[in-house]
Amino acid sequence: MSYYITLFFICIYICLGQDLINNRVLPFIEASIATESVGTDPDDPAIWIHPNQPELSLIIGTDKKTGTGGLYVFNLDGKIIQHIDNIDRPNNVDVEYGFKINETYFIDLVVFTERLQSRLRIFSININIRQLYEITGRNTNVFIDSIGKAAAPMGLALYKRPSDKKFYAIVSRKSGPNYNYLGQYELIWNQGLVDLKFIRYFGDCRGREIESIVVDDQLGHVYYCDGSYGIRKYNVDPSTNQTEQIGFINTTNLWQGDSEGLAIYTTSDRNGYLITTDQISRGTIFHIFERQGTNSYIKSIKTRADRTDGIEVTKIFFFMIGVL
Ligand SMILES: *[C@@H]1O[C@H](CO)[C@@H](O)[C@H](O)[C@H]1NC(C)=O
Ligand SMILES: *[C@@H]1O[C@H](CO)[C@@H](O)[C@H](O)[C@H]1NC(C)=O
Ligand SMILES: *[C@@H]1O[C@H](CO)[C@@H](O)[C@H](O)[C@H]1NC(C)=O
């Protein structure tokens, strides 16, 4: 029940492991360090990179308990340095940099879903003391025309549009329709707080639910795991007129457990890897695809991690973070 950190470059070297996919032995990686444990049910991590001292960066994770759940902030040694509590089932969290609040001033945002309040909670980071502070506006509810599980936000990814630096949140729900499962909301600065403006619903769903979402800001794509059915790809910029699915990764013969997390590791403006977690008891697997083109399958990596939920990757430290 803790977040763990794996030195990602290790995966280049190792080729041990007992498990097979399509008759090929999986390479294996060990965790390098684990964070302190959190209370109940950790779900999703995010990473905030300090602007000029990377060693002061933060790992942010949710603990999904109903009513009294929390958000935990860790330093890179895995020590808890801030705990924000009384959050009603926080699910997924994401970080984005450089939200414009006036002509000269920009802040970084930490946004997460508060599932049982049907809303997003929005925080920023005081860089000097490395503490989060809340700037949730009065208007951050999502799926307001739905009720019950269809109004309960779960997955979340932030998108910063390169052309005008506008911020959007892509949000999925606990259960919902076969079409228009996801909501897209613009984040709006409003007198010191951040509100949401509804933009659109989009996205097919054939599986049980959608939890993991990731946005490729540079290439303008949003990916999400549709249950065990596959990974879907859409345009994330709402001003493009192509709103239908633009790509699909068929994972029928790949996933063994639940698809719980998605992350992108960039190696250039256009190239890199799309990584998904396959939630397996005492042996989570990471499946890796190409970021570019039609997202060809590259390989899968076995871990000792127990039932991993969310995942985040950064190339700044070569860290990969999952949830035990
Ligand atoms: C922009 O916001 C910052 C932070 O609140 C403030 O210090 C600064 O005076 C503002 N600048 C303008 C031009 O309003
Ligand atoms: C989308 O369609 C609108 C209306 O037809 C048009 O004005 C706009 O230029 C189109 N946008 C793109 C990116 O093609
Ligand atoms: C995915 O692959 C399986 C096995 O090859 C196939 O039966 C299924 O139709 C494919 N699904 C889609 C949506 O293409």
Side-chain angles (χ1 to χ4, degrees):
M1 304 262 270
S2 54
Y3 295 87
Y4 69 92
I5 300 170
T6 304
L7 284 170
F8 189 60
F9 62 74
I10 292 175
C11 73
I12 297 163
Y13 300 107
I14 32 71
C15 53
L16 301 169
Q18 306 88 357
D19 288 72
L20 299 173
I21 285 183
N22 300 328
N23 291 321
R24 287 170 62 192
V25 177
L26 299 189
F28 183 87
I29 48 171
E30 288 281 5
S32 301
I33 61 170
T35 66
E36 288 186 80
S37 292
V38 305
T40 318
D41 188 5
D43 194 84
D44 189 45
I47 305 169
W48 174 77
I49 307 289
H50 191 283
N52 34 49
Q53 284 178 276
E55 68 279 10
L56 297 181
S57 298
L58 301 173
I59 298 160
I60 300 157
T62 56
D63 178 18
K64 213 165 50 173
K65 192 177 182 190
T66 297
T68 57
L71 196 73
Y72 287 83
V73 182
F74 306 89
N75 64 20
L76 293 183
D77 296 325
K79 295 270 177 284
I80 296 169
I81 58 172
Q82 187 181 6
H83 173 210
I84 297 158
D85 59 7
N86 292 318
I87 303 168
D88 203 356
R89 214 173 169 83
N91 210 114
N92 279 29
V93 59
D94 203 6
V95 166
E96 189 69 86
Y97 303 87
F99 181 74
K100 185 174 178 176
I101 67 169
N102 64 34
E103 283 313 310
T104 55
Y105 206 78
F106 299 81
I107 59 175
D108 299 338
L109 296 186
V110 178
V111 181
F112 60 92
T113 48
E114 188 174 32
R115 200 203 284 183
L116 298 184
Q117 295 297 320
S118 291
R119 65 170 175 168
L120 304 189
R121 297 278 293 269
I122 300 153
F123 285 68
S124 188
I125 299 169
N126 181 325
I127 295 178
N128 298 321
I129 56 172
R130 291 199 297 158
Q131 295 274 301
L132 272 56
Y133 62 93
E134 183 155 21
I135 48 172
T136 305
R138 276 174 290 279
N139 175 19
T140 67
N141 285 85
V142 292
F143 305 117
I144 56 171
D145 46 9
S146 299
I147 54 165
K149 288 181 177 176
M154 197 158 76
L156 172 133
L158 297 177
Y159 165 50
K160 181 181 173 186
R161 183 159 64 186
S163 59
D164 57 7
K165 312 290 189 269
K166 282 189 177 180
F167 274 48
Y168 298 89
I170 315 295
V171 190
S172 69
R173 31 186 153 193
K174 178 63 186 163
S175 101
N178 289 138
Y179 304 98
N180 292 336
Y181 197 100
L182 299 128
Q184 181 157 0
Y185 300 84
E186 187 183 340
L187 278 62
I188 309 276
W189 184 250
N190 183 9
Q191 298 179 339
L193 302 173
V194 176
D195 282 332
L196 297 184
K197 176 183 164 196
F198 173 76
I199 299 295
R200 61 167 177 158
Y201 292 128
F202 71 99
D204 293 358
C205 180
R206 293 287 176 282
R208 190 168 50 84
E209 66 185 28
I210 294 166
E211 180 163 14
S212 38
I213 310 172
V214 69
V215 172
D216 188 331
D217 285 3
Q218 286 164 306
L219 297 186
H221 299 143
V222 53
Y223 298 88
Y224 61 89
C225 295
D226 179 357
S228 57
Y229 189 75
I231 301 172
R232 298 184 185 275
K233 180 178 180 180
Y234 284 74
N235 282 319
V236 67
D237 182 350
S239 74
T240 64
N241 291 329
Q242 165 59 286
T243 57
E244 299 303 311
Q245 178 174 291
I246 55 170
F248 180 74
I249 304 174
N250 189 332
T251 54
T252 302
N253 297 319
L254 208 52
W255 274 326
Q256 298 168 25
D258 276 359
S259 51
E260 291 280 344
L262 273 173
I264 288 173
Y265 180 97
T266 59
T267 54
S268 73
D269 283 353
R270 307 198 68 79
N271 297 339
Y273 306 105
L274 174 70
I275 305 171
T276 177
T277 52
D278 190 343
Q279 185 183 55
I280 298 167
S281 194
R282 289 187 295 282
T284 288
I285 293 174
F286 298 123
H287 302 296
I288 303 176
F289 307 87
E290 284 183 355
R291 173 188 175 209
Q292 60 274 16
T294 54
N295 308 105
S296 305
Y297 171 72
I298 299 173
K299 68 163 66 178
S300 302
I301 296 175
K302 182 87 175 171
T303 71
R304 248 190 269 286
D306 192 22
R307 295 177 55 76
T308 295
D309 277 290
I311 180 178
E312 187 59 278
V313 190
T314 176
K315 67 174 178 182
I316 305 294
F317 297 96
F318 295 93
F319 283 158
M320 178 152 70
I321 300 183
V323 180
L324 292 177

